[in-house]
Amino acid sequence: MGDSTVTRSQQQLAVSQQTQQHQQGPYVSVITNRTSNLVIRGAMLFSVGVFLALVLNLLQVQRNVTLFPPDVISSIFSSAWWVPPCCGTASAMIGLLYPCIDGHLGEPHKFKREWSSVMRCVAVFVGINHASAKVDFANNIQLSLTLAALSIGLWWTFDRSRSGFGLGVGIALLATLATQLLVYNGVFKYTSPDFLYIRSWLPCIFFAGVITMGNIGRQLALYEYKFIQEKTHQD
Amino acid sequence: MTLREQLREKISAAFYRHGLLCASYPVPIILFTSASILTCCYPLLRLPLPGTGPVEFTTGVRDYSVPSHEPHGDLGERPDWYRGPPVAYIQQVLVKAAVSPWDSSLVPVDVFRSPLGRVFSLLEEIRNHVHSDSSGSRSLESLCLQVTGLFPGLRRMQSVLPEHGCLLVSPGNYWQNQRELFDSDPDLLKTIQKHEPKGLHTSATLRDLLFGVPGKYTGVSHYNRKRVVTYTITVVLSSYDARFLGSLRARLKQLHPSANCSLRDDHMVHVHFKEEIGIAELIPLVTTYIILFAYIYFSTRKIDMVKSKWGLALAAVVTVLSSLLMSVGLCTLFGLTPTLNGGEIFPYLVVVIGLENVLVLTKSVVSTPVDLEVKLRIAQGLSNESWSIMKNMATELCIILIGYFTLVPAIQEFCLFAVVGLVSDFFLQMFFFTTVLSIDIRRMELADLNRRLPAEAGLPPPKPGPLRPREVPPPPRPSPHTITLQTPAFRNLRLPKRLRVVYFLARTRLAQRIIMAGTVIWIGILVYTDPAGIRTYLAAQVSEQSPLGDSGGAGLPPHLAVAPVFRGGDPTSTLSIHAAPDPTPLPENQSQGHHGSGRSGPLPQAPPAVPQITWGAEDEEGWRRLSFRHWPSLFSYYNITLAKRYISILPVIPVTVHLSPQEAIETRHPQDTRHPPLPVPKVSADLQTDLTLYKVAALGLAAGVLLVLLLFCLYRVLCPRNYGQNGVAHGRRRRGDLPCDDYGYSPPISEISPLLLRGHSMDIECLASDGMLLASCCLAGQIRVWDRLSSSSSGCWEQRDGWDGMSSATEPEGFGSEGCDCAIGRDSLSEDEAYPVRRRTALPWPTLFTDQPDLTPLIDTNFTCQPPSHLSTPPRGGFDFGGLVERAYMEHEPPSPSAYPAPSSASSSPPSGAKLQRSPSLGDAAGPLIQDRASAAGGQAAADWESSVWAMELRGNLIAAGRSSGKLELWDAVEGSLRCRNEDGVSGITALAFLNNRIVAARLNGSLDFFTVEIKKPLGLLQYRGPPGRGSMPPSPCYSSEDVISLQLTRSIQCAHQKPITVLRAAAGRVVTGSQDHTVRVYRLEDSCCLFTLQGHSGGITAIYIDQTMVLASGGQDGAICLWDVLTGSRVSHVYGHRGDVTSLVCTNSCVISSGLDDLICIWDRSTGIKLYSIQQEVGCGASLGVISESLLVTGGQGCVSFWDLNFGDLLQTVYLGQSSDGQGVRQLLVLDNAAIVCDFGSELSLVYVPSVLEKLD
């Protein structure tokens, strides 16, 4: 295989790239465009975060209310208006951060990269929330231990990356701290005043949420990654 | 060998055996599995059915005592919820009141005003009732359920429902239980209506709550024909006191005796309510289910390459579901009663159990070698995945066990279910799903066999590859050739399916019809079921006309019945519009009175008009007609939940009230008479219901319109006109990144490996085949014929013989000529004189038919140092092999003559000896010419080894080869001997067509020569060899070696085209030529007569397709594709599809496929000329195309062959031809009739058996 072959193929590839870029429609170009891709991913993650926040908040509200009168659909929005957007923003950030960190660490996440697994992860996350809201635990330590075990199980089943674990723990701690600060300052209040109760389940839920959002974010980033990979192959 | 490996081996072997078992006895195993599923699910029958409807339990009143909290073992028929005191006891007082006798002077309002007014006195009575006996006196206040305030959200109910004190509900609540308010209310109906909710509530409205009977039975309306008003006073008691209730009952009965009432009062009904599911609770539930379905969808989407994708997906879901059912059944069998809400934990259970194993199994089985037996495939697939399956299973069990030790009862129960579910799921996977999979695979094989049967009918059954071990599960075989399954992410480009659906919809106008029919049905249902609609109207009509229609009218003499019907025009009736439903009062009254007296005559103290009020069995438990949410909603107003609790409903107390007309007139409000008696309120009431109806209709219509619009928008967004372009470009997987699965699992490697036919020393230039034989010609001028052994059904081609036009004993010469050919190219043919390379052709082997393996090393050793692809790049003239050739010549000179005694006669054969009258010995000697290049300069070369073969055709066992020097040669493909030749032409033959026994040769100068092959048979026998090519082709005669074959130029058209002919195709008795002069010409084959000259291209013709159906497609350098009608010569369609030359054109029955220099493959609809979609390929791929079946397209690429699904534009597979894929493009591709393809791959020929899997996509 001489040099000439290489140069020829390079020429061909260059030409092909031009033509391909020319021919790929707006959809592909949007996907491949880095900024717009980022925006799209962010928007999707944001909406997912808002949705999950609403639903899970409802679950938590249910814990304290026995029966809903017929016209209390508004209880979906029973928490402060800024909570869902905050959750959405946080999830968008996390979902973008995960693939970014993967890229910087140079160890692309290879474990179970497909939508069905992501769906499974989301289902387990909702299940953890469900359990924490519905199941009556004997004491708070039991609750927090169970939730911690479940969260770690979630990470082991769907992530298994050290960076993911570290990021999850870090963000969970930060978020718990922020929440506690808010509670102290009276900006935010829980239905149950039990301080220990909050402290026990909050970090685990945050951790599981971080893992879930990271999973979704990585899966979304996979599309861009694929295109980039193809490009580099062509180069 | 470590323990782990041993374990692994054992598990693998066990799975292998199990797979064999499953695939061998599918039916018994499936029966067995179904039986075990049913057995395990049998205990489920004892569980109550899910649902939120209330459950009832009836006990007697007499011996009633409040049930204790402790469960009693002996009371078997008692439901387990019947423990402890109920939330409340409900005592209803059912009041039926009527004004009797009805007087014609009464206005409609009188029907209900005074009867309703009696509620206040009754209320007084009930409130003030005191029962005193030895144990003290009790009043209602002490017994009733005390409520404290309404639920905060119900401000508007405040005025109506009691806020403090006893929960006592009656219609009087509308007027705050004050007679004065009632009396001063000008419009009772309006007051009642005022509190009705605005929305579309159907049940448990305030009206129902207060009246205690469903709205239509109350009789509070202006057109109440029976003139009986029914309502209840509902007393909610917190504790049960039989004596107080008994005295209340007696008192009320005494005050208002119900004459003909025979209601039973010895039963009380306990109603248990299930957990109420509110919207707030429903949202998370729905979310989890949505996630579950998304999970199932994304999982089953990956099932691929099987006969019935959806069938397998269904089987997978059935596996999971029935394993869940089995787990619940088993748990109940062993005494564990499920206490968790099944609907809530179900999605999580499914997610925990998962569909992964099923998918992995499918994938693994599908990727086993196709040519194996089904049994072995299943077994291999199972054993390949055994380790990972067992590992996953163990992990999950571990996790669940950890969950079990959390010691939280709910989680423990969940874990228990999950463990049993996992185990039963494993069992079902192993038995049920594997068997279903084996059946599916077998079906696939059968379908495939049927398809292939014609081609292989005469062949022995396929033998599995002898190399594969049968009994032991083979380790993954390392193979250089990979088959890449496509990535799931790219699978969503199923455009034409959508297109087909849309076409179908458009064609049948299905959507409109369905919408129309649906609307009609819907309106019908609405009209029929609406309470104010046609049904009641019809019922009214019927009851009007038929004397039997009224209740209890059985004893009515018929002659009386007819009379009232036709008195509709009675002047007293003010109804003109709705005359029919409102009969004249008088006759009916009489008839009812008559009827009533007939029935209840013997009653004492009954005034004549009493029987207006009747008591029936339906009144006994009137609350049953209420919505089952009646009581929960009543209690929920006071923030009391009935979920998982029960209430006891005591037998109803009947109260009959008769009012005289005098009373009715007295209680009248002044405005009642001022009202026009009937129509106004009636219309308003009608309007009310009608308005809801219209609202519903309008909403529905709007929703429908919105839906249609939405669908339309979706269609516009998702299906742009330009199908292939906007989609994701098809990425062809490179060899480098192995398709590693997302589970870290890479599919077993390679089930088909292309068969490489080695032997040529240079790049292959021409390929020809007639189905049985395959001829190839390389740049070196070597023609090789390959034959297929009859038994090689598994795709083994054996090289039958090899013979060289140019002797390979002196390879260096070949080398030199290779350099020439490559540099010259097609356009400049006569330039090989520019290379004064001293050439000689040495002798061929003494025996022409040596086995190829002897030859191969010789060629390879000579040429490995210089890959052919390299040769095309050097600038022309840059190589001078003179010295090299000289030396080689010197080396080879001595052995050549000695080894092969060259017949000198051959060398001195006459230059014009075109028709070499052959004899076997001469034929053998035709090749060995030792000739100097100088002496050949005048074109006098006898066998002309110098010119290269530009075109080649193979029919029967004759190979027609057109050379660059203009010579046409006929070779015997079997024997390798030159049968005859024609040297008339001087211009190089650019294209050849060989049809029947005619050969058409197109030349570079634009002339077209028609030859006829004449066979003179010494023995006069003409035998046919084997099945001919494609079925439609005329059989090619077989020429035996004794025949004398001559080639006769029948006609030569000198100026067929102005410029060189580029393409020549022949089919269906037509010869079509395309030239660089922008025209296409159609000739008749028999008489060489030019039928049409087709003009339409604005560039040279580069591709032509014609087939038996006389469809002609041509593509040109302008990128245009024209479809022509060969019969008329008219242009059918003309489309531009490519930027640059159209390089190849193929048609199927429904579409035209073109590829261009822009590496685009376009698929056009054949009849309309509309582009269906296009596929962007990698660079340098698109030159060669082949259609294997209606839906399978093959394209050649850089060192690989790709298979595409024509229906969807999906890349099915890419088969890599060799190790070093880069740089060698597949330029020629030939589809053989038995679903094999042959393509050139550098100096090798590659035979790829189309994997049967490809055709098995559903």
Side-chain angles (χ1 to χ4, degrees):
Chain A
M1 214 58 61
D3 290 344
S4 53
T5 323
V6 177
T7 50
R8 188 191 57 176
S9 62
Q10 272 178 351
Q11 278 170 357
Q12 277 184 347
L13 287 171
V15 169
S16 87
Q17 223 176 339
Q18 282 170 2
T19 52
Q20 272 203 346
Q21 273 185 355
H22 195 73
Q23 286 187 354
Q24 281 164 357
Y27 172 66
V28 175
S29 67
V30 162
I31 287 285
T32 44
N33 184 1
R34 210 177 165 76
T35 331
S36 53
N37 179 277
L38 215 63
V39 169
I40 289 175
R41 268 160 53 203
M44 285 172 85
L45 285 165
F46 179 81
S47 50
V48 170
V50 167
F51 178 70
L52 280 181
L54 287 177
V55 169
L56 300 181
N57 183 46
L58 206 58
L59 270 177
Q60 295 293 340
V61 165
Q62 266 185 335
R63 188 179 174 81
N64 301 319
V65 181
T66 50
L67 187 86
F68 283 84
D71 54 348
V72 197
I73 302 176
S74 56
S75 63
I76 301 173
F77 304 101
S78 57
S79 64
W81 63 269
W82 49 266
V83 171
C86 272
C87 292
T89 316
S91 56
M93 279 168 55
I94 293 163
L96 295 178
L97 202 61
Y98 259 80
C100 180
I101 283 185
D102 282 344
H104 279 291
L105 288 181
E107 39 183 29
H109 192 248
K110 285 279 184 197
F111 183 68
K112 288 194 183 175
R113 302 297 293 271
E114 58 191 356
W115 276 112
S116 63
S117 152
V118 172
M119 282 297 144
R120 224 178 162 189
C121 180
V122 173
V124 171
F125 173 60
V126 175
I128 289 176
N129 274 277
H130 205 133
S132 77
K134 280 280 173 72
V135 177
D136 291 319
F137 289 91
N139 52 33
N140 289 319
I141 296 179
Q142 200 183 31
L143 169 69
S144 52
L145 279 183
T146 310
L147 285 188
L150 282 174
S151 310
I152 301 288
L154 181 84
W155 169 77
W156 177 254
T157 322
F158 298 106
D159 193 321
R160 288 195 203 179
S161 67
R162 272 171 303 159
S163 62
F165 189 79
L167 203 61
V169 168
I171 291 177
L173 289 181
L174 270 181
T176 316
L177 200 67
T179 323
Q180 290 307 315
L181 281 178
L182 285 179
V183 171
Y184 278 135
N185 292 332
V187 183
F188 190 60
K189 222 166 77 179
Y190 278 98
T191 47
S192 164
D194 177 17
F195 171 64
L196 201 65
Y197 169 66
I198 292 167
R199 196 178 60 179
S200 56
W201 65 264
L202 211 56
C204 301
I205 295 288
F206 275 134
F207 178 75
V210 168
I211 297 291
T212 308
M213 292 319 293
N215 227 330
I216 297 177
R218 277 168 169 166
Q219 191 64 35
L220 284 175
L222 201 63
Y223 285 100
E224 191 197 28
Y225 174 74
K226 270 179 185 160
F227 276 102
I228 288 175
Q229 215 177 23
E230 260 167 44
K231 264 190 186 174
T232 49
H233 267 294
Q234 284 169 358
D235 292 341
Chain B
M1 190 183 273
T2 62
L3 186 70
R4 182 188 152 96
E5 277 169 358
Q6 276 179 355
L7 189 68
R8 188 173 177 156
E9 199 115 299
K10 277 192 181 144
I11 288 175
S12 179
F15 271 68
Y16 191 82
R17 260 175 267 130
H18 175 77
L20 276 184
L21 175 79
C22 279
S24 310
Y25 307 102
V27 178
I29 284 179
I30 282 193
L31 286 180
F32 163 70
T33 325
S34 320
S36 49
I37 290 175
L38 289 180
T39 317
C40 290
C41 291
Y42 174 71
L44 288 180
L45 290 180
R46 277 187 272 161
L47 288 183
L49 281 178
T52 52
V55 188
E56 289 171 13
F57 178 59
T58 309
T59 55
V61 169
R62 275 179 216 290
D63 50 352
Y64 173 77
S65 62
V66 177
S68 62
H69 280 282
E70 287 75 35
H72 293 281
D74 53 333
L75 298 169
E77 77 270 19
R78 268 191 190 188
D80 49 357
W81 49 262
Y82 187 59
R83 279 175 212 163
V87 178
Y89 299 90
I90 309 276
Q91 175 67 64
Q92 281 192 311
V93 179
L94 181 59
V95 181
K96 289 200 176 189
V99 178
S100 66
W102 186 256
D103 198 329
S104 60
S105 65
L106 296 173
V107 291
V109 185
D110 290 331
V111 171
F112 54 85
R113 181 176 271 276
S114 56
L116 273 182
R118 292 303 284 269
V119 73
F120 300 103
S121 58
L122 278 169
L123 278 173
E124 281 303 297
E125 192 65 42
I126 294 169
R127 275 182 198 283
N128 297 335
H129 183 76
V130 176
H131 173 74
S132 16
D133 59 3
S134 54
S135 59
S137 67
R138 276 164 298 239
S139 68
L140 188 70
E141 280 297 317
S142 60
L143 291 175
C144 74
L145 185 75
Q146 301 283 342
V147 291
T148 56
L150 281 168
F151 196 81
L154 293 167
R155 299 278 166 248
R156 64 187 173 81
M157 300 277 199
Q158 240 171 1
S159 60
V160 185
L161 288 173
E163 267 199 278
H164 302 287
C166 277
L167 182 51
L168 183 67
V169 187
S170 71
N173 285 70
Y174 278 120
W175 297 276
Q176 275 95 48
N177 290 331
Q178 290 170 35
R179 178 87 202 205
E180 298 77 42
L181 288 178
F182 178 79
D183 283 339
S184 58
D185 189 357
D187 194 345
L188 298 180
L189 282 180
K190 198 176 162 192
T191 312
I192 293 171
Q193 202 70 51
K194 191 173 69 184
H195 292 285
E196 288 305 293
K198 296 289 179 292
L200 291 166
H201 285 262
T202 53
S203 59
T205 59
L206 188 64
R207 181 178 173 151
D208 288 352
L209 283 182
L210 295 187
F211 276 90
V213 283
K216 57 183 170 183
Y217 298 111
T218 57
V220 183
S221 71
H222 282 297
Y223 47 116
N224 173 15
R225 282 180 307 283
K226 288 168 80 180
R227 301 201 174 83
V228 178
V229 173
T230 312
Y231 54 88
T232 63
I233 300 169
T234 308
V235 187
V236 182
L237 303 167
S238 62
S239 59
Y240 179 74
D241 189 321
R243 274 168 293 192
F244 173 78
L245 288 173
S247 74
L248 180 66
R249 177 181 295 266
R251 168 79 182 154
L252 287 177
K253 277 196 173 177
Q254 185 198 342
L255 281 178
H256 306 282
S258 304
N260 53 349
C261 174
S262 58
L263 299 187
R264 291 165 46 175
D265 53 359
D266 53 346
H267 281 99
M268 62 196 292
V269 183
H270 311 277
V271 183
H272 177 254
F273 294 92
K274 293 274 173 59
E275 195 161 14
E276 183 97 347
I277 296 185
I279 289 177
E281 232 171 310
L282 221 53
I283 290 174
L285 199 66
V286 167
T287 312
T288 52
Y289 272 92
I290 288 174
I291 294 173
L292 173 71
F293 283 123
Y295 169 62
I296 291 180
Y297 168 73
F298 282 120
S299 301
T300 51
R301 207 174 62 159
K302 290 183 295 187
I303 296 182
D304 221 337
M305 312 275 263
V306 288
K307 174 80 180 168
S308 154
K309 186 174 172 175
W310 291 111
L312 272 191
L314 186 72
V317 174
V318 162
T319 306
V320 173
L321 291 191
S322 48
S323 72
L324 278 181
L325 285 181
M326 277 171 79
S327 82
V328 176
L330 286 175
C331 285
T332 24
L333 189 68
F334 292 114
L336 183 99
T337 44
T339 56
L340 295 175
N341 187 344
E344 269 178 27
I345 63 165
F346 174 74
Y348 302 122
L349 277 176
V350 171
V351 164
V352 163
I353 289 175
L355 295 167
E356 263 72 19
N357 275 351
V358 165
L359 303 178
V360 167
L361 271 185
T362 313
K363 205 180 260 179
S364 162
V365 168
V366 162
S367 47
T368 48
V370 196
D371 48 353
L372 279 186
E373 262 181 75
V374 177
K375 268 194 247 181
L376 300 176
R377 288 187 68 187
I378 297 281
Q380 272 191 26
L382 271 183
S383 72
N384 279 346
E385 279 312 313
S386 58
W387 183 241
S388 71
I389 286 179
M390 289 310 284
K391 224 167 51 178
N392 278 342
M393 171 111 179
T395 320
E396 281 181 341
L397 282 180
C398 275
I399 289 176
I400 289 173
L401 277 183
I402 290 171
Y404 191 77
F405 289 112
T406 52
L407 300 179
V408 181
I411 294 184
Q412 277 182 329
E413 194 186 326
F414 180 85
C415 289
L416 200 61
F417 276 125
V419 165
V420 182
L422 264 184
V423 174
S424 49
D425 184 54
F426 180 72
F427 165 76
L428 285 185
Q429 273 166 16
M430 283 302 110
F431 284 94
F432 177 69
F433 188 77
T434 311
T435 318
V436 170
L437 191 64
S438 79
I439 290 175
D440 185 272
I441 300 262
R442 184 163 293 132
R443 271 176 66 201
M444 191 164 75
E445 303 272 318
L446 282 179
D448 199 51
L449 203 65
N450 287 341
R451 200 172 304 143
R452 278 208 197 178
L453 213 54
E456 296 182 347
L459 300 177
K463 281 186 291 186
L467 288 175
R468 291 197 178 83
R470 287 300 196 84
E471 290 309 319
V472 217
R477 192 159 47 98
S479 162
H481 319 291
T482 56
I483 291 166
T484 54
L485 303 175
Q486 61 201 125
T487 55
F490 286 114
R491 267 207 76 78
N492 49 9
L493 198 69
R494 304 213 144 209
L495 292 168
K497 197 173 212 171
R498 208 180 308 157
L499 196 71
R500 276 204 312 244
V501 169
V502 171
Y503 276 170
F504 175 75
L505 288 182
R507 199 170 59 237
T508 54
R509 297 188 179 280
L510 203 63
Q512 286 104 312
R513 285 181 191 178
I514 287 177
I515 288 174
M516 264 169 57
T519 317
V520 167
I521 291 172
W522 182 60
I523 287 174
I525 289 174
L526 267 187
V527 166
Y528 188 72
T529 56
D530 186 71
I534 194 142
R535 190 173 56 164
T536 40
Y537 181 76
L538 284 180
Q541 288 278 9
V542 169
S543 67
E544 197 79 358
Q545 291 174 6
S546 146
L548 301 171
D550 217 328
S551 66
L556 203 64
H559 68 272
L560 268 174
V562 194
V565 175
F566 299 106
R567 304 224 181 139
D570 193 290
T572 55
S573 164
T574 48
L575 262 183
S576 53
I577 310 163
H578 292 273
D582 283 279
T584 56
L586 192 58
E588 191 189 42
N589 205 7
Q590 280 175 349
S591 78
Q592 283 209 346
H594 175 79
H595 145 74
S597 66
R599 238 186 92 179
S600 59
L603 288 178
Q605 54 155 307
V610 166
Q612 217 176 358
I613 296 169
T614 53
W615 293 91
E618 77 273 6
D619 295 320
E620 197 171 301
E621 288 173 331
W623 51 270
R624 283 191 196 279
R625 288 184 292 194
L626 294 167
S627 147
F628 68 88
R629 263 185 286 152
H630 183 85
W631 302 117
S633 57
L634 175 63
F635 282 91
S636 73
Y637 290 154
Y638 296 97
N639 208 3
I640 300 168
T641 177
L642 290 186
K644 293 183 174 177
R645 297 158 86 183
Y646 76 97
I647 55 171
S648 301
I649 297 175
L650 301 172
V652 75
I653 300 173
V655 168
T656 312
V657 180
H658 290 284
L659 298 123
S660 65
Q662 195 58 37
E663 252 179 305
I665 291 170
E666 276 168 14
T667 52
R668 244 184 224 174
H669 189 272
Q671 286 199 348
D672 283 352
T673 43
R674 222 179 299 154
H675 274 299
L678 261 178
V680 175
K682 179 191 177 309
V683 165
S684 81
D686 252 358
L687 218 60
Q688 201 77 24
T689 48
D690 279 359
L691 271 185
T692 29
L693 182 68
Y694 293 143
K695 256 189 267 176
V696 171
L699 274 178
L701 207 65
V705 168
L706 203 70
L707 198 71
V708 170
L709 280 180
L710 197 72
L711 282 178
F712 181 72
C713 292
L714 262 179
Y715 168 69
R716 293 304 299 222
V717 169
L718 292 178
C719 308
R721 190 80 188 90
N722 207 352
Y723 283 104
Q725 302 275 335
N726 279 354
V728 184
H730 274 285
R732 182 175 305 185
R733 234 183 245 252
R734 311 290 297 209
R735 286 178 52 80
D737 58 89
L738 213 64
C740 180
D741 190 49
D742 307 315
Y743 292 98
Y745 149 78
S746 58
I749 308 162
S750 182
E751 75 208 50
I752 47 168
S753 40
L755 205 72
L756 288 184
L757 309 177
R758 292 196 178 84
H760 280 291
S761 53
M762 308 250 172
D763 276 5
I764 287 164
E765 174 85 6
C766 305
L767 265 180
S769 165
D770 69 339
M772 290 303 283
L773 289 181
L774 176 67
S776 61
C777 172
C778 70
L779 283 175
Q782 252 183 3
I783 298 177
R784 285 182 183 270
V785 180
W786 316 79
D787 193 5
R788 199 185 136 184
L789 286 186
S790 55
S791 64
S792 61
S793 58
S794 62
C796 175
W797 280 61
E798 191 166 292
Q799 184 175 358
R800 170 122 168 218
D801 57 31
W803 44 277
D804 295 346
M806 196 173 235
S807 162
S808 41
T810 55
E811 293 297 338
E813 266 85 312
F815 204 65
S817 80
E818 155 74 13
C820 292
D821 285 338
C822 289
I824 290 161
R826 287 204 169 191
D827 298 332
S828 52
L829 98 134
S830 55
E831 283 192 60
D832 39 0
E833 276 94 352
Y835 295 85
V837 178
R838 187 181 151 83
R839 306 183 122 198
R840 51 159 290 196
T841 51
L843 301 166
W845 304 276
T847 53
L848 275 167
F849 309 123
T850 34
D851 266 351
Q852 187 50 41
D854 303 336
L855 184 62
T856 313
L858 185 64
I859 297 165
D860 281 346
T861 47
N862 279 336
F863 279 88
T864 36
C865 58
Q866 203 80 39
S869 64
H870 182 74
L871 291 171
S872 55
T873 44
R876 74 172 53 161
F879 290 88
D880 190 354
F881 294 105
L884 184 67
V885 170
E886 282 285 348
R887 202 175 63 240
Y889 177 45
M890 295 310 287
E891 283 169 8
H892 282 277
E893 182 93 65
S896 302
S898 63
Y900 317 117
S904 58
S905 62
S907 69
S908 64
S909 61
S912 58
K915 300 183 182 81
L916 260 172
Q917 296 299 322
R918 55 137 278 110
S919 67
S921 64
L922 199 59
D924 287 348
L929 297 169
I930 305 169
Q931 194 153 17
D932 204 3
R933 174 65 191 162
S935 70
Q940 303 298 312
D944 189 23
W945 304 118
E946 289 74 24
S947 60
S948 60
V949 176
W950 276 2
M952 189 171 68
E953 274 293 309
L954 175 63
R955 281 287 168 270
N957 53 358
L958 279 184
I959 297 172
R963 290 188 171 271
S964 58
S965 57
K967 297 198 175 85
L968 180 65
E969 294 166 351
L970 270 184
W971 295 82
D972 189 315
V974 181
E975 296 177 8
S977 53
L978 181 66
R979 304 303 292 265
C980 61
R981 76 167 78 182
N982 181 301
E983 294 186 357
D984 290 348
V986 284
S987 185
I989 296 178
T990 55
L992 268 180
F994 196 166
L995 205 63
N996 301 340
N997 50 6
R998 284 169 192 275
I999 297 175
V1000 186
R1003 293 184 191 272
L1004 203 57
N1005 60 4
S1007 63
L1008 200 61
D1009 290 347
F1010 289 80
F1011 295 96
T1012 311
V1013 179
E1014 288 173 0
I1015 309 155
K1016 299 196 183 77
K1017 284 188 200 311
L1019 299 174
L1021 89 151
L1022 184 73
Q1023 37 176 280
Y1024 287 84
R1025 177 180 60 83
R1030 297 202 176 247
S1032 52
M1033 285 189 180
S1036 313
C1038 182
Y1039 312 99
S1040 66
S1041 55
E1042 284 81 21
D1043 299 345
V1044 175
I1045 295 173
S1046 63
L1047 205 56
Q1048 209 146 35
L1049 180 66
T1050 48
R1051 182 163 179 208
S1052 177
I1053 303 167
Q1054 275 312 317
C1055 268
H1057 284 280
Q1058 308 296 324
K1059 288 188 175 170
I1061 294 175
T1062 49
V1063 216
L1064 174 72
R1065 292 280 184 275
R1070 297 286 185 276
V1071 175
V1072 185
T1073 57
S1075 155
Q1076 284 184 335
D1077 64 357
H1078 305 188
T1079 58
V1080 176
R1081 281 180 185 238
V1082 182
Y1083 295 89
R1084 197 150 53 206
L1085 190 62
E1086 299 95 68
D1087 54 359
S1088 341
C1089 158
C1090 178
L1091 297 175
F1092 307 108
T1093 301
L1094 309 175
Q1095 286 173 327
H1097 283 281
S1098 52
I1101 310 295
T1102 51
I1104 281 181
Y1105 177 87
I1106 185 171
D1107 62 12
Q1108 292 297 313
T1109 54
M1110 289 276 202
V1111 163
L1112 173 61
S1114 62
Q1117 283 172 330
D1118 51 350
I1121 296 163
C1122 290
L1123 292 179
W1124 311 87
D1125 186 355
V1126 181
L1127 293 176
T1128 61
S1130 60
R1131 190 165 72 186
V1132 178
S1133 62
H1134 181 228
V1135 287
Y1136 284 95
H1138 296 278
R1139 254 164 298 161
D1141 300 9
V1142 176
T1143 51
S1144 182
L1145 263 180
V1146 186
C1147 294
T1148 66
N1149 285 339
S1150 58
C1151 53
V1152 180
I1153 302 138
S1154 65
S1155 72
L1157 269 189
D1158 51 357
D1159 298 312
L1160 209 60
I1161 297 177
C1162 294
I1163 287 87
W1164 313 82
D1165 188 71
R1166 187 154 149 178
S1167 50
T1168 59
I1170 294 171
K1171 180 150 94 172
L1172 296 177
Y1173 56 95
S1174 60
I1175 303 167
Q1176 176 69 50
Q1177 285 198 298
E1178 283 178 11
V1179 159
C1181 297
S1184 46
L1185 280 180
V1187 172
I1188 295 179
S1189 72
E1190 263 308 291
S1191 61
L1192 196 57
L1193 175 73
V1194 190
T1195 60
Q1198 293 281 349
C1200 59
V1201 182
S1202 299
F1203 297 93
W1204 306 83
D1205 187 345
L1206 267 183
N1207 296 327
F1208 308 124
D1210 278 346
L1211 176 62
L1212 294 178
Q1213 270 195 351
T1214 301
V1215 176
Y1216 289 95
L1217 301 177
Q1219 303 270 13
S1220 57
S1221 64
D1222 291 328
Q1224 289 181 330
V1226 172
R1227 286 166 303 146
Q1228 298 214 31
L1229 202 145
L1230 214 59
V1231 177
L1232 305 185
D1233 49 336
N1234 46 6
I1237 55 168
V1238 182
C1239 51
D1240 65 330
F1241 178 58
S1243 65
E1244 294 160 350
L1245 271 184
S1246 185
L1247 185 89
V1248 181
Y1249 251 92
V1250 181
S1252 46
V1253 168
L1254 289 174
E1255 313 225 3
K1256 292 166 191 170
L1257 272 174
D1258 58 336

